[in-house]
Amino acid sequence: CPASPAAPLAFTMLQLTRVYKGYSMFRGNASLNGQLSHLLDELNVTQVLPLEPPDAWARRQKEVINYLTNFRQLVQLFNMERPTAFTQHLRCHLGCRLFPNGTAQSFYEVTLNRTAFLSFHVPNATWERRWPGELPVAAFAQEQLMKYSITTQDLQYFLNTTCVSILEPQSARTGQVSGRSRAPLVLGLILGSLAMLGTAVGIFLCTGGSC
């Protein structure tokens, strides 16, 4: 459906990870201005919109598979040390919105087992705990994510600048993708931040909540 003139443009990414007895299952997608742009199903990632030429996309697919494989191996490693028999659900939702008046809004939200866990405060480049009550693993994850520039300043730049720059050339009326889209940089940065998040969260996801 054509977008309303008053509706914001949006670029969003969603990654869902289910961990059970040391095995990780992945689902996800990305959308650009209301159009599905990427799909993730286990280790298979596909580009629905032609944001990158075939050779560049082939390299991007390899990066995605490497990231997911590393995450899966990390989960298996910690499960061998401290096995857990219950299922863990990790959900990462992030992106940006560009409003008709030129203002932008960015977000990065993480839920653990369907409960708000962490969020990224974009203006200050800081991670904030959202878990209701005290939880050592939430404090641990926040501490780990605040250590690295890729999950603070780099992520802030991506959400405030790079993400918004994708939306600026888009037509809210037609929803067509402009040739000026900066998909390679966007996907590279977002995969890096997700990889770091996966490392930090994976450390305790598979240790039964110990840190």
Side-chain angles (χ1 to χ4, degrees), residues 118 127 129 136-148 151 200:
L118 295 169
W127 286 92
R129 280 173 275 172
V137 293
F140 175 72
Q142 180 189 37
E143 178 185 356
Q144 292 299 309
L145 290 169
M146 288 300 299
K147 285 182 177 180
Y148 306 100
T151 49

Side-chain angles (χ1 to χ4, degrees), residues 10-14 29-38 49 167:
F11 178 72
T12 60
M13 291 191 71
L14 177 68
N29 62 70
S31 62
L32 175 60
N33 193 20
Q35 299 181 68
L36 183 67
S37 59
H38 300 83
L49 293 179
L167 298 172

Side-chain angles (χ1 to χ4, degrees), residues 1-195:
C1 299
S4 166
L9 307 180
F11 178 72
T12 60
M13 291 191 71
L14 177 68
Q15 181 185 343
L16 306 172
T17 303
R18 179 174 178 263
V19 178
Y20 179 67
K21 291 187 176 180
Y23 184 74
S24 306
M25 290 145 279
F26 306 110
R27 295 287 186 277
N29 62 70
S31 62
L32 175 60
N33 193 20
Q35 299 181 68
L36 183 67
S37 59
H38 300 83
L39 277 175
L40 172 65
D41 183 6
E42 289 294 355
L43 297 183
N44 300 313
V45 58
T46 56
Q47 180 178 232
V48 179
L49 293 179
L51 299 183
E52 296 185 271
D55 56 340
W57 175 241
R59 292 191 296 271
R60 199 71 54 198
Q61 281 181 307
K62 185 176 180 179
E63 293 174 1
V64 175
I65 293 171
N66 288 340
Y67 154 60
L68 296 173
T69 301
N70 291 337
F71 185 98
R72 181 169 285 176
Q73 291 173 345
L74 184 69
V75 168
Q76 292 171 343
L77 173 64
F78 281 96
N79 186 72
M80 286 189 294
E81 296 183 358
R82 296 188 182 182
T84 56
F86 53 91
T87 302
Q88 301 272 23
H89 296 273
L90 178 68
R91 181 182 187 269
C92 300
H93 184 217
L94 63 159
C96 61
R97 303 180 184 95
L98 179 63
F99 295 87
N101 63 4
T103 61
Q105 180 186 55
S106 304
F107 63 94
Y108 197 138
E109 302 164 345
V110 183
T111 63
L112 178 63
N113 296 332
R114 301 181 178 87
T115 301
F117 185 62
L118 295 169
S119 66
F120 185 66
H121 188 253
V122 180
N124 296 332
T126 57
W127 286 92
E128 300 177 348
R129 280 173 275 172
R130 296 300 182 189
W131 192 270
E134 295 295 326
L135 185 69
V137 293
F140 175 72
Q142 180 189 37
E143 178 185 356
Q144 292 299 309
L145 290 169
M146 288 300 299
K147 285 182 177 180
Y148 306 100
S149 62
I150 196 171
T151 49
T152 52
Q153 288 86 2
D154 292 357
L155 182 57
Q156 180 190 50
Y157 182 85
F158 162 72
L159 292 170
N160 271 344
T161 305
T162 311
C163 184
V164 175
S165 72
I166 303 177
L167 298 172
E168 290 173 342
Q170 309 308 315
S171 168
R173 182 177 52 185
T174 64
Q176 296 298 310
V177 177
S178 167
R180 292 191 291 131
S181 174
R182 303 179 186 178
L185 177 58
V186 169
L187 292 177
L189 283 175
I190 207 61
L191 288 173
S193 59
L194 283 176

